[in-house]
Amino acid sequence: MITGDWLAPHNMSAGVENLLNPPYDAGKLKDLWPQPLWEHWLSLDGKQLVGLPWDMGPTMTFYRADILEENGFPSDPKELATFMSNPEQFFDMAQALKAKGVYLLEFNKTIMDFYTGGEGFFDRNLNFIRNTDKYVEGLKLAQKVKQLGLALNNSAFWSDPGKQAVASGKLAMVYYANWIRDAIKDAAPDAVGKWRMTHLPLGQMVSGSGSTLSILSQSKNKELAWEFVKFLLATDEGQKAWVEGGNTPGYKKAWSFPAYKNFTTPLTGDQKINEIQSEAMEKSKATYITTPLDAKANEIWNKGIDEAIEKNKDPKAAIQQIADDIERAVKADKDNLKADYGIK
C-alpha cells in the first residue's frame, strides 16, 4: 500500500510491477475508476501503472447542521450545497455567522485550497497549469476573506484554540476528506450527531489521490498478490473494514456494495454520507499529475499566495509572478526531465 506522497519525488515505478503489463493487463479495468484517480497513479510518461487505486478521499464539507438551522440557513446537505455554490450567498452566510461569533473558515487561504485541491502544478508535458483565471478567482476570494475577517486562523485539529472552537461551535464548518471524522469526534464529543456532510462551497469538487495497492517486483508470489489486490478492491468483504475506518474507495463498483452504500456514522446522524461522496468523486475532473518538481513548486506557491493575501496584491499579477518564480526555480530540473522522458 503506497500513499500519494510516495509518488511525487520520483514519479517512477522502480521496485513495483507495472500493472499495465501481462499477466495483469490492468488497462482493461481503467473505466472502473474515476479518470482523475486512474491518471494520478500512472508514471509521468503515462506508460506505467504503479498500482490499482484503492481510496480517493474527496474533500468534503463537515458542518454543524444545528447551528446553521438556528440561524436561518439551510441545514439539509443538498439544499446547503446548492446555497453555498453561490459565492455571494456563502459570503453573506459567513458574515452573518461571524457577527454571532461563529466562523466557517479555518484560514484566510482555506478558500484557495478549494481551487487548488486535487490538481497538481504541471501536466504530463511539464507545462505549468496553475496560472489560469480559476486560480485568480480563488486568490481574489481568499483576499476577501482576510479583508472581512472571516477566518478563525487557527488549525481546527492541530491547535488547542482550534479544537476549542470546534468543541464550542465557534467553528461550524471544516473541509477535509472522510478520515477527519475521528478528529471531529475527539474535539467535540458533545456534538456527535449534530454534524452533517455536504459538498464544498462555491461549487468546487476536489478529489484526492488517496493510496494504491502495488505489487513488489521482488515478490515471489506475484500471482497470489494480484488475487489479493482484486479481493480487497472488488468485494464487499474486502472493502468493509476500509470503509468503516473512514476511507472512501475509488473503485466505482464498490460504491454499490452494502458496506459502502448503507454506511452511517454517529457523527453525522443517520445521513448516508457516502452517497454525497460518490457524487463528488464522479464530478471531480481535476487530475493531479505528480512530478519531481512538485516540492519546489509547492514551497514557492504557498509563500507567494500567503504574501498576495497579506499584502492584497493584484490577483492576476500575483498568480503570474508566482508562475514565473516557479518556472525559474525548476528550469534546470525540468530540462533534465524533458530530456529523460523525450518531452519537447
Side-chain angles (χ1 to χ4, degrees), residues 100-122:
K100 297 189 175 183
V102 176
Y103 291 85
L104 301 184
L105 296 160
E106 277 180 85
F107 298 101
N108 295 326
K109 195 171 70 171
T110 295
I111 273 192
M112 189 64 177
D113 294 338
F114 301 162
Y115 287 80
T116 59
E119 192 160 37
F121 294 94
F122 304 93

PDB file of all heavy atoms in Angstrom, residues 100-122:
ATOM      1  N   LYS A 100     -22.115  36.668  15.026  1.00  0.00           N
ATOM      2  CA  LYS A 100     -22.535  35.944  16.235  1.00  0.00           C
ATOM      3  C   LYS A 100     -21.395  35.119  16.827  1.00  0.00           C
ATOM      4  O   LYS A 100     -21.617  34.255  17.672  1.00  0.00           O
ATOM      5  CB  LYS A 100     -23.728  35.049  15.909  1.00  0.00           C
ATOM      6  CG  LYS A 100     -24.956  35.847  15.470  1.00  0.00           C
ATOM      7  CD  LYS A 100     -26.186  34.978  15.371  1.00  0.00           C
ATOM      8  CE  LYS A 100     -27.422  35.809  15.050  1.00  0.00           C
ATOM      9  NZ  LYS A 100     -28.657  34.994  15.020  1.00  0.00           N
ATOM     10  N   GLY A 101     -20.178  35.375  16.321  1.00  0.00           N
ATOM     11  CA  GLY A 101     -19.007  34.687  16.868  1.00  0.00           C
ATOM     12  C   GLY A 101     -18.777  33.298  16.325  1.00  0.00           C
ATOM     13  O   GLY A 101     -18.073  32.493  16.940  1.00  0.00           O
ATOM     14  N   VAL A 102     -19.351  33.000  15.159  1.00  0.00           N
ATOM     15  CA  VAL A 102     -19.201  31.677  14.547  1.00  0.00           C
ATOM     16  C   VAL A 102     -18.467  31.817  13.213  1.00  0.00           C
ATOM     17  O   VAL A 102     -18.816  32.667  12.386  1.00  0.00           O
ATOM     18  CB  VAL A 102     -20.579  31.011  14.310  1.00  0.00           C
ATOM     19  CG1 VAL A 102     -20.410  29.673  13.594  1.00  0.00           C
ATOM     20  CG2 VAL A 102     -21.301  30.818  15.636  1.00  0.00           C
ATOM     21  N   TYR A 103     -17.455  30.967  13.002  1.00  0.00           N
ATOM     22  CA  TYR A 103     -16.654  31.020  11.777  1.00  0.00           C
ATOM     23  C   TYR A 103     -16.924  29.798  10.902  1.00  0.00           C
ATOM     24  O   TYR A 103     -17.230  28.709  11.399  1.00  0.00           O
ATOM     25  CB  TYR A 103     -15.164  31.079  12.119  1.00  0.00           C
ATOM     26  CG  TYR A 103     -14.740  32.374  12.762  1.00  0.00           C
ATOM     27  CD1 TYR A 103     -14.861  32.558  14.141  1.00  0.00           C
ATOM     28  CD2 TYR A 103     -14.241  33.422  11.997  1.00  0.00           C
ATOM     29  CE1 TYR A 103     -14.472  33.747  14.744  1.00  0.00           C
ATOM     30  CE2 TYR A 103     -13.845  34.612  12.583  1.00  0.00           C
ATOM     31  CZ  TYR A 103     -13.967  34.773  13.957  1.00  0.00           C
ATOM     32  OH  TYR A 103     -13.586  35.956  14.541  1.00  0.00           O
ATOM     33  N   LEU A 104     -16.750  30.000   9.583  1.00  0.00           N
ATOM     34  CA  LEU A 104     -16.928  28.920   8.618  1.00  0.00           C
ATOM     35  C   LEU A 104     -15.626  28.538   7.930  1.00  0.00           C
ATOM     36  O   LEU A 104     -15.608  27.619   7.107  1.00  0.00           O
ATOM     37  CB  LEU A 104     -17.957  29.318   7.550  1.00  0.00           C
ATOM     38  CG  LEU A 104     -19.361  29.672   8.044  1.00  0.00           C
ATOM     39  CD1 LEU A 104     -20.281  29.947   6.860  1.00  0.00           C
ATOM     40  CD2 LEU A 104     -19.937  28.549   8.912  1.00  0.00           C
ATOM     41  N   LEU A 105     -14.540  29.244   8.250  1.00  0.00           N
ATOM     42  CA  LEU A 105     -13.262  29.001   7.584  1.00  0.00           C
ATOM     43  C   LEU A 105     -12.136  28.955   8.610  1.00  0.00           C
ATOM     44  O   LEU A 105     -12.086  29.796   9.517  1.00  0.00           O
ATOM     45  CB  LEU A 105     -12.978  30.097   6.555  1.00  0.00           C
ATOM     46  CG  LEU A 105     -13.958  30.184   5.385  1.00  0.00           C
ATOM     47  CD1 LEU A 105     -13.883  31.546   4.724  1.00  0.00           C
ATOM     48  CD2 LEU A 105     -13.656  29.083   4.357  1.00  0.00           C
ATOM     49  N   GLU A 106     -11.241  27.996   8.438  1.00  0.00           N
ATOM     50  CA  GLU A 106     -10.097  27.897   9.357  1.00  0.00           C
ATOM     51  C   GLU A 106      -9.098  29.026   9.111  1.00  0.00           C
ATOM     52  O   GLU A 106      -8.633  29.677  10.040  1.00  0.00           O
ATOM     53  CB  GLU A 106      -9.379  26.560   9.157  1.00  0.00           C
ATOM     54  CG  GLU A 106      -9.997  25.399   9.899  1.00  0.00           C
ATOM     55  CD  GLU A 106      -9.236  24.125   9.650  1.00  0.00           C
ATOM     56  OE1 GLU A 106      -8.242  23.868  10.355  1.00  0.00           O
ATOM     57  OE2 GLU A 106      -9.622  23.369   8.731  1.00  0.00           O
ATOM     58  N   PHE A 107      -8.722  29.214   7.837  1.00  0.00           N
ATOM     59  CA  PHE A 107      -7.680  30.174   7.486  1.00  0.00           C
ATOM     60  C   PHE A 107      -8.127  31.066   6.338  1.00  0.00           C
ATOM     61  O   PHE A 107      -9.063  30.747   5.606  1.00  0.00           O
ATOM     62  CB  PHE A 107      -6.394  29.445   7.072  1.00  0.00           C
ATOM     63  CG  PHE A 107      -5.789  28.600   8.165  1.00  0.00           C
ATOM     64  CD1 PHE A 107      -5.976  27.227   8.169  1.00  0.00           C
ATOM     65  CD2 PHE A 107      -5.046  29.177   9.184  1.00  0.00           C
ATOM     66  CE1 PHE A 107      -5.426  26.432   9.169  1.00  0.00           C
ATOM     67  CE2 PHE A 107      -4.489  28.401  10.190  1.00  0.00           C
ATOM     68  CZ  PHE A 107      -4.680  27.027  10.184  1.00  0.00           C
ATOM     69  N   ASN A 108      -7.430  32.190   6.167  1.00  0.00           N
ATOM     70  CA  ASN A 108      -7.702  33.056   5.022  1.00  0.00           C
ATOM     71  C   ASN A 108      -7.542  32.284   3.720  1.00  0.00           C
ATOM     72  O   ASN A 108      -8.269  32.510   2.746  1.00  0.00           O
ATOM     73  CB  ASN A 108      -6.745  34.251   5.015  1.00  0.00           C
ATOM     74  CG  ASN A 108      -6.944  35.168   6.211  1.00  0.00           C
ATOM     75  OD1 ASN A 108      -8.067  35.345   6.689  1.00  0.00           O
ATOM     76  ND2 ASN A 108      -5.867  35.757   6.705  1.00  0.00           N
ATOM     77  N   LYS A 109      -6.571  31.374   3.700  1.00  0.00           N
ATOM     78  CA  LYS A 109      -6.243  30.656   2.470  1.00  0.00           C
ATOM     79  C   LYS A 109      -7.131  29.440   2.218  1.00  0.00           C
ATOM     80  O   LYS A 109      -7.022  28.797   1.165  1.00  0.00           O
ATOM     81  CB  LYS A 109      -4.771  30.213   2.526  1.00  0.00           C
ATOM     82  CG  LYS A 109      -4.199  29.787   1.191  1.00  0.00           C
ATOM     83  CD  LYS A 109      -2.693  29.576   1.259  1.00  0.00           C
ATOM     84  CE  LYS A 109      -2.331  28.358   2.069  1.00  0.00           C
ATOM     85  NZ  LYS A 109      -0.893  28.025   1.961  1.00  0.00           N
ATOM     86  N   THR A 110      -8.003  29.117   3.149  1.00  0.00           N
ATOM     87  CA  THR A 110      -8.816  27.905   3.002  1.00  0.00           C
ATOM     88  C   THR A 110      -9.591  27.888   1.693  1.00  0.00           C
ATOM     89  O   THR A 110      -9.663  26.855   1.014  1.00  0.00           O
ATOM     90  CB  THR A 110      -9.785  27.762   4.192  1.00  0.00           C
ATOM     91  OG1 THR A 110      -9.019  27.566   5.394  1.00  0.00           O
ATOM     92  CG2 THR A 110     -10.718  26.581   4.005  1.00  0.00           C
ATOM     93  N   ILE A 111     -10.163  29.012   1.325  1.00  0.00           N
ATOM     94  CA  ILE A 111     -10.927  29.066   0.072  1.00  0.00           C
ATOM     95  C   ILE A 111     -10.029  28.786  -1.130  1.00  0.00           C
ATOM     96  O   ILE A 111     -10.438  28.131  -2.087  1.00  0.00           O
ATOM     97  CB  ILE A 111     -11.635  30.433  -0.071  1.00  0.00           C
ATOM     98  CG1 ILE A 111     -12.992  30.361   0.638  1.00  0.00           C
ATOM     99  CG2 ILE A 111     -11.832  30.822  -1.526  1.00  0.00           C
ATOM    100  CD1 ILE A 111     -13.915  31.499   0.365  1.00  0.00           C
ATOM    101  N   MET A 112      -8.801  29.273  -1.082  1.00  0.00           N
ATOM    102  CA  MET A 112      -7.871  29.000  -2.181  1.00  0.00           C
ATOM    103  C   MET A 112      -7.631  27.501  -2.309  1.00  0.00           C
ATOM    104  O   MET A 112      -7.445  26.982  -3.419  1.00  0.00           O
ATOM    105  CB  MET A 112      -6.555  29.743  -1.935  1.00  0.00           C
ATOM    106  CG  MET A 112      -5.595  29.716  -3.113  1.00  0.00           C
ATOM    107  SD  MET A 112      -6.280  30.583  -4.535  1.00  0.00           S
ATOM    108  CE  MET A 112      -4.913  30.468  -5.683  1.00  0.00           C
ATOM    109  N   ASP A 113      -7.648  26.796  -1.180  1.00  0.00           N
ATOM    110  CA  ASP A 113      -7.451  25.347  -1.217  1.00  0.00           C
ATOM    111  C   ASP A 113      -8.565  24.634  -1.972  1.00  0.00           C
ATOM    112  O   ASP A 113      -8.348  23.550  -2.523  1.00  0.00           O
ATOM    113  CB  ASP A 113      -7.364  24.788   0.208  1.00  0.00           C
ATOM    114  CG  ASP A 113      -6.133  25.274   0.951  1.00  0.00           C
ATOM    115  OD1 ASP A 113      -5.161  25.683   0.287  1.00  0.00           O
ATOM    116  OD2 ASP A 113      -6.144  25.247   2.201  1.00  0.00           O
ATOM    117  N   PHE A 114      -9.761  25.212  -1.990  1.00  0.00           N
ATOM    118  CA  PHE A 114     -10.845  24.618  -2.782  1.00  0.00           C
ATOM    119  C   PHE A 114     -10.479  24.612  -4.267  1.00  0.00           C
ATOM    120  O   PHE A 114     -10.894  23.731  -5.014  1.00  0.00           O
ATOM    121  CB  PHE A 114     -12.154  25.411  -2.629  1.00  0.00           C
ATOM    122  CG  PHE A 114     -12.676  25.511  -1.226  1.00  0.00           C
ATOM    123  CD1 PHE A 114     -13.608  26.488  -0.897  1.00  0.00           C
ATOM    124  CD2 PHE A 114     -12.256  24.653  -0.233  1.00  0.00           C
ATOM    125  CE1 PHE A 114     -14.116  26.598   0.393  1.00  0.00           C
ATOM    126  CE2 PHE A 114     -12.751  24.755   1.064  1.00  0.00           C
ATOM    127  CZ  PHE A 114     -13.684  25.732   1.369  1.00  0.00           C
ATOM    128  N   TYR A 115      -9.734  25.623  -4.690  1.00  0.00           N
ATOM    129  CA  TYR A 115      -9.400  25.774  -6.099  1.00  0.00           C
ATOM    130  C   TYR A 115      -8.154  24.991  -6.503  1.00  0.00           C
ATOM    131  O   TYR A 115      -7.996  24.625  -7.665  1.00  0.00           O
ATOM    132  CB  TYR A 115      -9.204  27.262  -6.432  1.00  0.00           C
ATOM    133  CG  TYR A 115     -10.502  28.031  -6.464  1.00  0.00           C
ATOM    134  CD1 TYR A 115     -11.121  28.465  -5.288  1.00  0.00           C
ATOM    135  CD2 TYR A 115     -11.144  28.318  -7.668  1.00  0.00           C
ATOM    136  CE1 TYR A 115     -12.314  29.150  -5.306  1.00  0.00           C
ATOM    137  CE2 TYR A 115     -12.342  29.006  -7.701  1.00  0.00           C
ATOM    138  CZ  TYR A 115     -12.934  29.420  -6.512  1.00  0.00           C
ATOM    139  OH  TYR A 115     -14.131  30.102  -6.523  1.00  0.00           O
ATOM    140  N   THR A 116      -7.258  24.755  -5.553  1.00  0.00           N
ATOM    141  CA  THR A 116      -6.021  24.046  -5.873  1.00  0.00           C
ATOM    142  C   THR A 116      -6.100  22.561  -5.547  1.00  0.00           C
ATOM    143  O   THR A 116      -5.329  21.766  -6.094  1.00  0.00           O
ATOM    144  CB  THR A 116      -4.830  24.633  -5.088  1.00  0.00           C
ATOM    145  OG1 THR A 116      -5.098  24.541  -3.678  1.00  0.00           O
ATOM    146  CG2 THR A 116      -4.611  26.089  -5.449  1.00  0.00           C
ATOM    147  N   GLY A 117      -7.014  22.165  -4.665  1.00  0.00           N
ATOM    148  CA  GLY A 117      -7.095  20.776  -4.248  1.00  0.00           C
ATOM    149  C   GLY A 117      -7.354  19.838  -5.409  1.00  0.00           C
ATOM    150  O   GLY A 117      -8.181  20.112  -6.278  1.00  0.00           O
ATOM    151  N   GLY A 118      -6.640  18.722  -5.422  1.00  0.00           N
ATOM    152  CA  GLY A 118      -6.868  17.721  -6.452  1.00  0.00           C
ATOM    153  C   GLY A 118      -6.169  18.004  -7.763  1.00  0.00           C
ATOM    154  O   GLY A 118      -6.268  17.209  -8.701  1.00  0.00           O
ATOM    155  N   GLU A 119      -5.472  19.118  -7.870  1.00  0.00           N
ATOM    156  CA  GLU A 119      -4.794  19.461  -9.123  1.00  0.00           C
ATOM    157  C   GLU A 119      -3.341  19.819  -8.833  1.00  0.00           C
ATOM    158  O   GLU A 119      -3.041  20.574  -7.911  1.00  0.00           O
ATOM    159  CB  GLU A 119      -5.494  20.633  -9.812  1.00  0.00           C
ATOM    160  CG  GLU A 119      -5.026  20.845 -11.242  1.00  0.00           C
ATOM    161  CD  GLU A 119      -6.042  21.655 -12.055  1.00  0.00           C
ATOM    162  OE1 GLU A 119      -6.656  22.563 -11.494  1.00  0.00           O
ATOM    163  OE2 GLU A 119      -6.207  21.342 -13.240  1.00  0.00           O
ATOM    164  N   GLY A 120      -2.441  19.264  -9.630  1.00  0.00           N
ATOM    165  CA  GLY A 120      -1.018  19.498  -9.424  1.00  0.00           C
ATOM    166  C   GLY A 120      -0.544  20.810 -10.019  1.00  0.00           C
ATOM    167  O   GLY A 120      -1.324  21.712 -10.303  1.00  0.00           O
ATOM    168  N   PHE A 121       0.765  20.884 -10.232  1.00  0.00           N
ATOM    169  CA  PHE A 121       1.378  22.086 -10.768  1.00  0.00           C
ATOM    170  C   PHE A 121       1.688  21.980 -12.265  1.00  0.00           C
ATOM    171  O   PHE A 121       1.750  22.984 -12.969  1.00  0.00           O
ATOM    172  CB  PHE A 121       2.682  22.392 -10.023  1.00  0.00           C
ATOM    173  CG  PHE A 121       2.477  22.748  -8.584  1.00  0.00           C
ATOM    174  CD1 PHE A 121       2.557  21.786  -7.591  1.00  0.00           C
ATOM    175  CD2 PHE A 121       2.177  24.052  -8.213  1.00  0.00           C
ATOM    176  CE1 PHE A 121       2.359  22.116  -6.253  1.00  0.00           C
ATOM    177  CE2 PHE A 121       1.972  24.397  -6.884  1.00  0.00           C
ATOM    178  CZ  PHE A 121       2.063  23.420  -5.905  1.00  0.00           C
ATOM    179  N   PHE A 122       1.872  20.753 -12.737  1.00  0.00           N
ATOM    180  CA  PHE A 122       2.298  20.553 -14.127  1.00  0.00           C
ATOM    181  C   PHE A 122       1.472  19.449 -14.782  1.00  0.00           C
ATOM    182  O   PHE A 122       0.959  18.553 -14.105  1.00  0.00           O
ATOM    183  CB  PHE A 122       3.781  20.161 -14.176  1.00  0.00           C
ATOM    184  CG  PHE A 122       4.703  21.137 -13.496  1.00  0.00           C
ATOM    185  CD1 PHE A 122       5.057  20.964 -12.159  1.00  0.00           C
ATOM    186  CD2 PHE A 122       5.193  22.234 -14.182  1.00  0.00           C
ATOM    187  CE1 PHE A 122       5.892  21.869 -11.521  1.00  0.00           C
ATOM    188  CE2 PHE A 122       6.036  23.149 -13.553  1.00  0.00           C
ATOM    189  CZ  PHE A 122       6.391  22.960 -12.225  1.00  0.00           C
TER     190      PHE A 122
END
